[in-house]
Structure formats: C-alpha cells, structure tokens
Amino acid sequence: MIFDDELGWPDWVDGMQEKGRHAINGNDPRKVCARCFNDNGIGKAIELLATAKKCDFCERLYRSEKAARITEVAAYIMGCLLQDYDIPENVLFLDHESENGWAGTTYDRWELVQDYLEGEWEAIEALIECVTTDTEWCEADPGRFLPGRQLGASWDSFSRYVKHRSRFMFMREDEAPRGIMDEPDDSTVPTTRMLDLLGQAVVAAGLLRTVKAGTRVYRARPVKDGEAWHTGPGALGPPPISDTGPPAGRMNPAGIPILYGALTPDTALQEALESNGRVARGVFSPLRPLAVLDLSRPSELPRVGIFDNVTRARRGLAVFLSSFIGDIARTTERDGREHIDYVPAQIVTEYFRRVFRTPDGGRLDGIVYPSTRDPDGRNVALFLGRDDVCELSNWGETLRFHPRLTRRFTVTAADGVVTGWTPA
C-alpha cells in the first residue's frame, strides 16, 4: 500500500541526515531541544539525536539527554526538505533573461527553511545559518504536484473523467490505447486506480468506525400539500424499488435504494426542506453494530508534514480526503445538474458498498458525512433496503423502527435555510 511507512524512526533519521549533510556548512556546537520547534517530526528526530541534558536556546534543563547538536538537526531537516527540493543545476534550464538566471522559481536558504519551521526564532535562525550560504534551491520536479496537492488533483481528475468522459467503463485499463483516458500527466493517480487508492486512504487515515447497536437514526420526509402524513416504517424507511424509483440521490443512482438519515433530530429536519412546509420524522435504530466510513470530522484528518517518517503520498492524505469529503457533502441544486455532479459520489459509494473490504475482511454498512445545512450535524447513508427493516420483512435483521418516536412538524425556511419548526 502506498500509504505504508517505509522505515522505522532510527533508520529514517539516519537516511535523512545522510541525504542532507552535504547542504550543511557549519560547526555550531550549541544544543537544541524538541520544544524549540513546533513540529512532531523534528521533535522525534531530536530525541534520537540527543546528546545533552540542557538546551542552549530555551535553557531548559532535563533529567536525561533531550537536546541535540543543532548542526545534526539541520542535516536532518535539510534531508527531509530535499525530498521535494534540489539545486537548479540538476533541474532547471538556464535563462539569462530572468532575474535569477534560471527558467523557474528558486529559493535561498532563508526562504527554503523558514517557510517550513515554527518555534523559537533564535533556534530557527541558528539552524538556517548552518545551511550552505551560496546554494540556491528549487522544486525537485517543477512539472509535478508537491504531495499536498498531488492526491487532491488526482481526485479532481477522477471526478471530471467520470462526469464527462466514461461513467461505466473507466475501470478498464485497455481504454488508454483508444485515446480516451483523461490523465493530465503521470503526477496524478490514474482514473483506473482511483477507487483502490480511496480504499487505502480511508484505512490509512483511520476513518473506519462503528455505529453502536441502538443508536438513533432520524429520517425526515417532506409532506406535500394535500398529502397525508407519513407514518410507519414503509413511509419513513428505505424507499421501495420500482420502475420509477427510487430517484437518484447524493450517493445513489436512480433505481438503487439507500437509507438517508441523520444522527441528531434537528439535523434531519434541516436536511428535509429548503422552504416552508410540513415534515414527518421517524426514528430507526440498528439491531447490530454497523461498520461505517466516517467522513464527518474532516478537522480530525491526520496531518503530517515533510519532517515526519511517512511516505510522500501520506503527506497529501489530509488535503486529498478533505477535497473528497467536500465533494461528497456539498449541496447541489436540483436543476438537472445533480445528475452530473452526484456521479463521483455515487460511484465511490457503490465501491464502498460492493467492493471495499475492511482490514478484517468485512463489508461496510454505510457512510457518515457532514451536514451542509447544520454545521454541527452528521448525516448517514446506510446501505440498507426495505428487506433490512424488521417491521417490513421477515428477513429484516439490521434496522428497527420506533413508531412511538414519530413526530410531525411545521417548518419555516428562508433563502433555502431552515429557520425554525414547531410541532404540528
């Protein structure tokens, strides 16, 4: 898997030091501790390189060796940076008409290092002084995305491809010779590999969670003028299969049922209507724990930097998944565009429903995702049909309906946003 760590920390630190030592030209004997830098990766490296109990910059005194020579730390930092940067002589063409003499952007040692470091300024300044003074730096491959954008660009490419080029045959590798592949360059992930990459990414990011048995799932349905109130699991549960439905939704193509709900009662009401009207809200609960892909907390995505012992791909993981979650959660007006805009999410949902397996070989039961209408709300799309509800089928062993918890509301809204509701 491309997100797996490659080395243990001791080997990683040794490798980065070896890579960066040629860029160091100093003999500063001072020692620096991890607390002088606001970076976990640098902190772990300093712990391995430590030879002194006192930091010469913050003057903290430790009971054990916690401070390392700053030139050794500088070699580690430069080695990490040189994963993405190089000297112009190895990368760029000469351009005597440009200000820097190169056909591309270059950086001096202050620009290169300072943008990546936060912490005690005296320690950062001393570290920069250790770096060779007369060397310019540039991106190691200006024609490729740096990791922070590489995977996000791959998702954008996948979305464009399945919306506008090939919806049902994009997984076929033999499309490439026919000239209909839509990959801009080899710095992005091929469309044919995108779904497997997503599967690896969610596992690496720790996004597989469990919804406990008995958790309340709220499902609200608008009631049209002149229409009777929705009651019972048949009306408030998963939609029936017919030649005319269920209609396409955010995560399901037309004709394939899925149960949309919310994990809080207010969120269900806000998701149900965009204008004044009546809403019926029912409550279901799972009879067993449900395995779900939890996309509802993008702020908790693992964010690792260039100084961490991770693969290049993992450094772009948070940006990639944030872009993916934004597309999954966003609201699209039902003006005909939803049939196109929902396609990537529908394909991804089908993958997680039918193909993806958890590390222990199990299947997922649904996807939890953030509500765009309730900032604190969480929605859920469960891969369940009417046969999974015990009140609707003798085979229903997954979901139970709670008739006494059904409620009716009159909802008020303005500019497409629910502003309040009262019991009807």
Side-chain angles (χ1 to χ4, degrees):
M1 290 170 59
I2 65 171
F3 295 104
D4 286 343
D5 294 345
E6 296 172 322
L7 296 172
W9 269 98
D11 288 335
W12 168 260
V13 172
D14 288 346
M16 291 301 101
Q17 278 197 300
E18 185 66 26
K19 189 180 184 71
R21 204 175 298 281
H22 72 87
I24 302 304
N25 184 23
N27 194 31
D28 192 331
R30 289 178 293 176
K31 311 298 190 300
V32 65
C33 71
R35 297 178 69 177
C36 287
F37 299 99
N38 299 334
D39 189 279
N40 291 331
I42 296 176
K44 289 182 179 180
I46 289 176
E47 289 180 4
L48 290 169
L49 298 171
T51 58
K53 296 181 179 180
K54 182 181 180 181
C55 175
D56 294 316
F57 295 91
C58 66
E59 298 186 348
R60 290 184 176 91
L61 184 63
Y62 299 94
R63 293 182 179 179
S64 59
E65 295 176 342
K66 295 290 185 181
R69 188 168 177 171
I70 194 154
T71 51
E72 295 296 305
V73 178
Y76 172 77
I77 288 175
M78 284 305 301
C80 292
L81 291 175
L82 290 177
Q83 297 175 97
D84 293 345
Y85 295 89
D86 202 340
I87 59 175
E89 288 86 348
N90 293 339
V91 177
L92 302 178
F93 294 106
L94 291 171
D95 182 359
H96 299 295
E97 296 183 0
S98 67
E99 292 183 4
N100 61 5
W102 299 99
T105 303
T106 58
Y107 312 91
D108 62 28
R109 59 178 181 168
W110 290 87
E111 293 171 317
L112 178 65
V113 178
Q114 189 176 344
D115 286 347
Y116 285 89
L117 296 183
E118 292 182 359
E120 295 285 344
W121 173 244
E122 184 181 357
I124 294 174
E125 188 176 32
L127 188 146
I128 294 175
E129 290 292 342
C130 293
V131 180
T132 305
T133 59
D134 58 353
T135 301
E136 291 182 296
W137 308 94
C138 68
E139 291 182 12
D141 191 345
R144 295 170 63 92
F145 293 107
L146 290 178
R149 277 292 300 151
Q150 181 182 13
L151 297 177
S154 299
W155 169 251
D156 293 342
S157 175
F158 171 83
S159 297
R160 288 194 306 271
Y161 190 80
V162 298
K163 284 196 289 188
H164 303 296
R165 299 298 294 273
S166 176
R167 193 154 307 161
F168 302 107
M169 304 296 288
F170 70 91
M171 292 295 289
R172 290 176 59 100
E173 294 282 358
D174 62 357
E175 285 199 318
R178 300 208 301 269
I180 60 174
M181 293 298 285
D182 193 26
E183 315 305 340
D185 55 55
D186 63 358
S187 67
T188 57
V189 177
T191 301
T192 51
R193 292 181 51 214
M194 196 66 223
L195 296 180
D196 287 335
L197 177 72
L198 269 174
Q200 294 179 29
V202 301
V203 171
L207 299 183
L208 303 183
R209 311 243 167 89
T210 300
V211 174
K212 296 180 181 179
T215 300
R216 290 184 176 181
V217 176
Y218 300 87
R219 177 165 164 79
R221 286 193 62 195
V223 181
K224 298 178 181 178
D225 292 339
E227 187 178 44
W229 286 97
H230 303 306
T231 59
L236 292 171
I241 296 176
S242 70
D243 291 339
T244 59
R250 184 190 307 275
M251 296 189 189
N252 70 290
I256 298 179
I258 203 168
L259 177 69
Y260 292 101
L263 296 180
T264 51
D266 291 355
T267 303
L269 295 177
Q270 294 186 59
E271 290 282 351
L273 278 182
E274 296 181 355
S275 58
N276 297 339
R278 299 182 299 161
V279 172
R281 187 185 68 200
V283 180
F284 296 80
S285 64
L287 296 170
R288 59 173 175 81
L290 301 180
V292 297
L293 168 59
D294 189 352
L295 304 175
S296 64
R297 300 181 179 92
S299 62
E300 297 179 9
L301 291 173
R303 299 181 184 275
V304 292
I306 197 169
F307 304 117
D308 287 288
N309 175 20
V310 295
T311 62
R312 181 181 170 93
R314 189 185 283 265
R315 281 194 271 135
L317 185 59
V319 175
F320 169 44
L321 289 174
S322 294
S323 177
F324 165 59
I325 292 171
D327 277 4
I328 289 287
R330 72 176 179 178
T331 299
T332 299
E333 294 184 12
R334 289 191 171 274
D335 56 2
R337 288 174 48 206
E338 75 274 8
H339 298 294
I340 300 297
D341 289 343
Y342 284 161
V343 165
Q346 292 170 354
I347 291 174
V348 167
T349 301
E350 191 80 358
Y351 167 77
F352 282 113
R353 182 176 190 172
R354 303 294 183 191
V355 179
F356 177 79
R357 295 292 182 272
T358 62
D360 61 3
R363 290 177 178 269
L364 291 183
D365 296 298
I367 298 176
V368 179
Y369 59 100
S371 169
T372 56
R373 295 179 180 170
D374 180 0
D376 299 319
R378 295 192 294 158
N379 293 326
V380 60
L382 296 177
F383 307 151
L384 303 175
R386 296 170 76 84
D387 288 344
D388 298 297
V389 182
C390 60
E391 289 83 0
L392 296 177
S393 169
N394 293 331
W395 301 98
E397 299 178 350
T398 305
L399 213 60
R400 170 174 289 158
F401 179 69
H402 299 273
R404 293 188 178 184
L405 298 179
T406 300
R407 298 290 184 269
R408 302 172 178 179
F409 298 91
T410 299
V411 174
T412 56
D415 299 325
V417 178
V418 171
T419 57
W421 51 83
T422 56

